[in-house]
Amino acid sequence: MATRGGGMLSVAMTNCGKVGWISDARGYRYDRIDPLTGHPWPELPSLFGSVAREAAMAAGYDALAPDACLVNRYEPRTKLSLHQDRDELDLAAPIVSVSLGLAATFLFGGLQRNAPTRKVRVESGDVVVWGGASRLAFHAVAPLAAGEHRLAGACRINLTFRRVASPA
Ligand SMILES: O=C(O)CCC(=O)C(=O)O
Ligand SMILES: [Mn+2]
């Protein structure tokens, strides 16, 4: 995806669910339409919904009913800069993040951009959940180390489940 500044995000992204997170020359936002196809995003598979719901509950939050799943694909050397997930209208719902494929270093900071970050190694199958007081915490992914994963090959796939719609 492109950025407002005319660059490209190094991490490849797509979505499933009612809305998807997109970035282009106009900036970033959630949209019901995939700009690449002109069609709505594929439905969020019910198994994905169960994983998100159960992970949120296991982490002590209310059951999450995700309406968006951002799919990130990292190749070696790609990274995600420090940011907050704050484009969702429902900030009461946690974020559920599932890691697959190559391991990565997830950096989890505080509510201020300059707060120190904690390094968390995330391996295939690991799930990170943040919400409540940490919902707007800054976070990042360090440049991916080269490697070969038995199932995913030379890449890491991350799924983040989000509740975007405003609470009823
Ligand atoms: O890849 C990850 O572990 C985090 C992804 C993320 O923060 C995002 O998509 O907003
Ligand atoms: Mn994020």
Side-chain angles (χ1 to χ4, degrees), residues 9 62 121 126 150 152:
L9 293 168
D62 289 344
R121 182 178 158 88
D126 285 345
R150 185 172 57 88

Side-chain angles (χ1 to χ4, degrees), residues 70 72 74 80 83 85 97 106 139 141 156 158 160 162:
L70 173 61
N72 293 319
Y74 298 79
L80 205 59
H83 69 280
D85 294 350
S97 168
F106 183 64
H139 56 280
V141 178
R156 168 175 185 260
N158 170 262
T160 47
R162 299 130 183 267

Side-chain angles (χ1 to χ4, degrees), residues 78-121:
T78 64
K79 62 170 186 154
L80 205 59
S81 308
L82 199 65
H83 69 280
Q84 295 168 296
D85 294 350
R86 57 179 310 155
D87 303 325
E88 303 73 29
L89 299 171
D90 186 353
L91 291 175
I95 302 281
V96 171
S97 168
V98 174
S99 291
L100 299 168
L102 289 179
T105 302
F106 183 64
L107 302 160
F108 199 71
L111 298 179
Q112 307 293 329
R113 180 173 285 280
N114 59 3
T117 55
R118 215 168 104 188
K119 284 187 187 174
V120 183
R121 182 178 158 88

